[in-house]
Amino acid sequence: MVHSNDRKLCLSGWLKQNNKTEYDTPLKLQKFLLLYEAFAKASGESPDFSHLRGYKRGPVFSNVWGDYTKEKEAFNKAADESYRSGRFAINEERAKKCAFVVRILSENELSELTHPMNLWKSKEDRIMKGEYQVDLEEKDFNEDDRKLIASLDKMYPIELIENSEVVNIDNHYFIFKKSDVQKLTEAHFDTLFNLSENEQLFNPVYADIDEEGRLVID
């Protein structure tokens, strides 16, 4: 039996349909759901932070986690059905932004992104001491949290998202223009692998192919 509500099921179904790799990564699914609700809250809408609990790697919707880890087949089916039926009206632009953020950061980086949020930080002492199932509450989402969401909103405009392709090399995420991805050669990929192994890179990494076909890292 699946316990997640239609809102979370529909959002999960959207991610499964549009960003399957991130859906298949439990932490990334959780961060996607959290960011969607945080964007809703920052926009003055009513978010759904129900069943949100604090863990050492950040906030977790415990009902979704339980369904996803213990009833995966049933959860997959329910998520697909909820998304197809449209039982929750998804803000497509918001969903694309949240999916893009979870796509271009590693799991550790996503945890580091959410740790400063007062939504989690207000209960940090209890969480880090090992207290189990610490409830996180909407009232703790403060102005600093709004500013964090606003900065993400500004950093990743929808035009950038829709015109970019992300290339994942060894947990490093290179953002290319879609037109440049078609120009990537084996030599370019060799360079990207070498960079991933030998350079201190911070995700996301912006990259271009110049007029002469050379790889340019921003």
Side-chain angles (χ1 to χ4, degrees):
M1 180 179 178
V2 172
H3 299 283
S4 302
N5 62 26
D6 273 334
R7 183 179 177 112
K8 293 299 185 291
L9 287 171
C10 198
L11 286 167
S12 298
W14 184 95
L15 192 67
K16 184 173 182 287
Q17 179 67 32
N18 293 281
N19 295 76
K20 184 65 161 51
T21 300
E22 284 63 50
Y23 175 83
D24 287 337
T25 307
L27 185 141
K28 290 202 168 192
L29 170 60
Q30 287 286 334
K31 299 302 182 184
F32 167 76
L33 296 173
L34 175 68
L35 288 173
Y36 189 95
E37 301 300 353
F39 267 87
K41 176 71 175 176
S43 298
E45 300 172 19
S46 296
D48 174 21
F49 289 127
S50 61
H51 303 282
L52 185 64
R53 298 197 168 103
Y55 291 83
K56 291 182 179 180
R57 298 195 72 183
V60 169
F61 291 99
S62 59
N63 52 348
V64 175
W65 183 266
D67 290 340
Y68 185 95
T69 57
K70 297 176 182 177
E71 301 287 345
K72 184 68 178 293
E73 185 175 345
F75 182 79
N76 286 342
K77 182 178 179 181
D80 286 336
E81 290 177 352
S82 184
Y83 176 56
R84 282 197 301 267
S85 68
R87 290 196 290 263
F88 167 67
I90 293 175
N91 182 316
E92 287 283 333
E93 182 172 315
R94 180 180 300 153
K96 287 179 181 179
K97 287 197 176 196
C98 296
F100 189 74
V101 172
V102 301
R103 189 178 181 192
I104 61 174
L105 297 176
S106 68
E107 293 186 45
N108 286 338
E109 288 166 336
L110 285 168
S111 291
E112 291 171 1
L113 175 69
T114 57
H115 278 167
M117 293 181 69
N118 193 62
L119 184 67
W120 181 89
K121 199 169 183 62
S122 61
K123 307 289 176 60
E124 180 179 10
D125 288 346
R126 293 168 58 190
I127 295 166
M128 299 310 289
K129 286 177 181 176
E131 185 175 335
Y132 186 61
Q133 302 233 352
V134 178
D135 289 325
L136 304 184
E137 302 170 274
E138 182 181 342
K139 67 180 179 63
D140 290 322
F141 187 99
N142 66 7
E143 186 59 29
D144 288 337
D145 294 349
R146 292 180 191 277
K147 289 178 181 178
L148 171 62
I149 297 304
S151 68
L152 290 175
D153 190 35
K154 185 176 181 180
M155 286 170 64
Y156 305 115
I158 196 66
E159 294 80 11
L160 168 69
I161 294 167
E162 292 182 340
N163 291 298
S164 297
E165 193 72 44
V166 180
V167 176
N168 177 9
I169 305 289
D170 193 27
N171 225 22
H172 291 95
Y173 300 91
F174 297 87
I175 298 179
F176 287 90
K177 293 190 292 289
K178 286 185 175 178
S179 57
D180 280 348
V181 168
Q182 302 170 7
K183 304 173 186 176
L184 287 172
T185 65
E186 185 175 343
H188 290 141
F189 277 105
D190 286 342
T191 301
L192 292 176
F193 277 109
N194 286 333
L195 286 170
S196 296
E197 290 178 353
N198 301 313
E199 299 294 333
Q200 185 69 27
L201 300 176
F202 298 96
N203 288 318
V205 183
Y206 290 88
D208 291 292
I209 305 296
D210 69 12
E211 292 181 356
E212 297 181 10
R214 294 172 300 191
L215 183 67
V216 179
I217 303 296
D218 189 357

